[in-house]
Amino acid sequence: MSATVPALELRGIQKSFGSVSALSHVDFAAYAGEVHAIVGDNGAGKSTTIKIVTGIHRGDAGEILINGEPLALRHGAADSQDHGIAAVYQDLALVECLDISSNMALGNLPRKFRFLLDRGRMDREAAKVLVELKVRVGDVKTPVGLLSGGQRQVVAIARAVRMDKPIVLLDEPTAALGVQESAHVGRIINELKSAGKAVICVSHDLEFVFKHADRITVLRLGRSVGTRQVQDTSRDEIISMITGLAPASPADPESGDPR
Ligand SMILES: Nc1ncnc2c1ncn2[C@@H]1O[C@H](COP(=O)(O)OP(=O)(O)OP(=O)(O)O)[C@@H](O)[C@H]1O
Ligand SMILES: [Mg+2]
């Protein structure tokens, strides 16, 4: 795949909820084979950006391009999978009363004889993905409501991996996870990247971001304020871009704190 055309590009995305302007201008581009982190303070518009890409929200203005092709902003949530997008939302979209394998197959249930659910195949596929990802959550027939927050998060990630789409959006994938589980999610992200996918990861955890991302885009108050290569920036610069308390100038490792 050509690395000159972004797998996913947003141009001038705007979104208001009534009188609240959630996004005033978001530009963003992620390429196949990169891990691209989106960071920003609470309410900066990260989750809204993700939901506009997957069609849960419709943008008021701007353009979404997939491999350079414009995507209608009215495309609808179910449709986004057909456009090669898999997502894990911050407000996890798992159904508590359903078991692990049903949750992992949601939106894409295996059928036999056209309309019957293929329960055996669904369980086998779920178990296979969980084994591949080295996720230990017990029996795939366990209702998700019985899992811990961290286990649910890992199941949601496994669900997105199972979809096997070229663009993977993860909104705070490690928020409920301990150190070891976070490292495990980091390895899964690296594998997705090695498989040539564009991995877009919203995270508050700058340590995680600096360890696993290739590039970082910062959102502040509904605007994208800049994108940096991880090797060309510093935590201090990213924090100043997030808070807006210092000019978002190119990284200068010698400069230290400007005040
Ligand atoms: N469905 C909605 N209805 C009304 N306002 C909304 C809705 N979703 C988001 N907002 C508002 O849009 C702004 C951006 O919210 P968003 O959830 O995108 O932020 P975020 O960067 O993901 O924050 P966090 O780090 O806390 O998850 C906030 O002011 C929020 O209150
Ligand atoms: Mg959010």
Side-chain angles (χ1 to χ4, degrees):
M1 191 180 285
S2 166
T4 55
V5 178
L8 171 68
E9 185 174 3
L10 307 185
R11 291 185 188 160
I13 298 289
Q14 294 178 24
K15 174 69 185 172
S16 293
F17 295 102
S19 59
V20 178
S21 169
L23 304 178
S24 54
H25 190 105
V26 172
D27 290 334
F28 173 81
Y31 292 85
E34 82 162 332
V35 178
H36 196 134
I38 299 179
V39 303
D41 257 340
N42 297 121
K46 305 178 298 295
S47 296
T48 304
T49 301
I50 298 291
K51 287 177 177 172
I52 282 178
V53 173
T54 61
I56 286 184
H57 295 317
R58 197 185 325 142
D60 301 329
E63 253 192 312
I64 302 174
L65 300 106
I66 305 283
N67 297 320
E69 298 285 325
L71 178 68
L73 282 168
R74 262 173 190 281
H75 62 297
D79 215 26
S80 68
Q81 284 189 35
D82 296 338
H83 288 95
I85 298 167
V88 178
Y89 300 100
Q90 185 176 21
D91 33 13
L92 294 177
L94 295 179
V95 183
E96 293 207 0
C97 59
L98 292 180
D99 58 28
I100 293 172
S101 62
S102 304
N103 266 286
M104 286 182 60
L106 277 181
N108 189 12
L109 295 169
R111 304 278 175 193
K112 57 184 173 188
F113 310 121
R114 302 248 323 265
F115 57 90
L116 288 180
L117 174 66
D118 190 342
R119 176 81 224 195
R121 192 173 130 208
M122 188 170 85
D123 289 344
R124 284 193 302 278
E125 284 181 0
K128 181 165 167 266
V129 172
L130 293 172
V131 166
E132 277 169 14
L133 297 178
K134 301 185 184 68
V135 172
R136 282 185 296 272
V137 284
D139 194 299
V140 293
K141 292 194 176 74
T142 308
V144 159
L146 298 182
L147 299 178
S148 74
Q151 287 174 321
R152 283 179 213 203
Q153 202 151 22
V154 177
V155 168
I157 294 166
R159 175 172 175 247
V161 171
R162 176 187 172 275
M163 290 180 197
D164 193 21
K165 301 295 182 191
I167 299 169
V168 184
L169 307 171
L170 304 168
D171 194 350
E172 297 287 358
T174 61
L177 301 187
V179 176
Q180 284 197 349
E181 291 163 306
S182 291
H184 187 57
V185 170
R187 284 193 292 276
I188 293 173
I189 286 175
N190 290 344
E191 279 171 26
L192 291 170
K193 170 186 162 171
S194 305
K197 299 179 190 302
V199 184
I200 294 114
C201 177
V202 171
S203 182
H204 273 103
D205 182 348
L206 286 186
E207 194 180 325
F208 183 85
V209 164
F210 271 83
K211 197 158 178 193
H212 297 289
D214 300 296
R215 294 195 299 155
I216 304 173
T217 290
V218 179
L219 296 193
R220 185 170 73 240
L221 301 172
R223 287 187 160 268
S224 44
V225 293
T227 298
R228 297 287 184 272
Q229 297 273 354
V230 162
Q231 71 264 26
D232 297 339
T233 188
S234 64
R235 282 172 76 107
D236 284 351
E237 188 194 21
I238 295 298
I239 289 168
S240 72
M241 290 166 77
I242 291 171
T243 58
L245 291 180
S249 56
D252 177 4
E254 306 301 321
S255 68
D257 189 332
R259 266 147 300 148

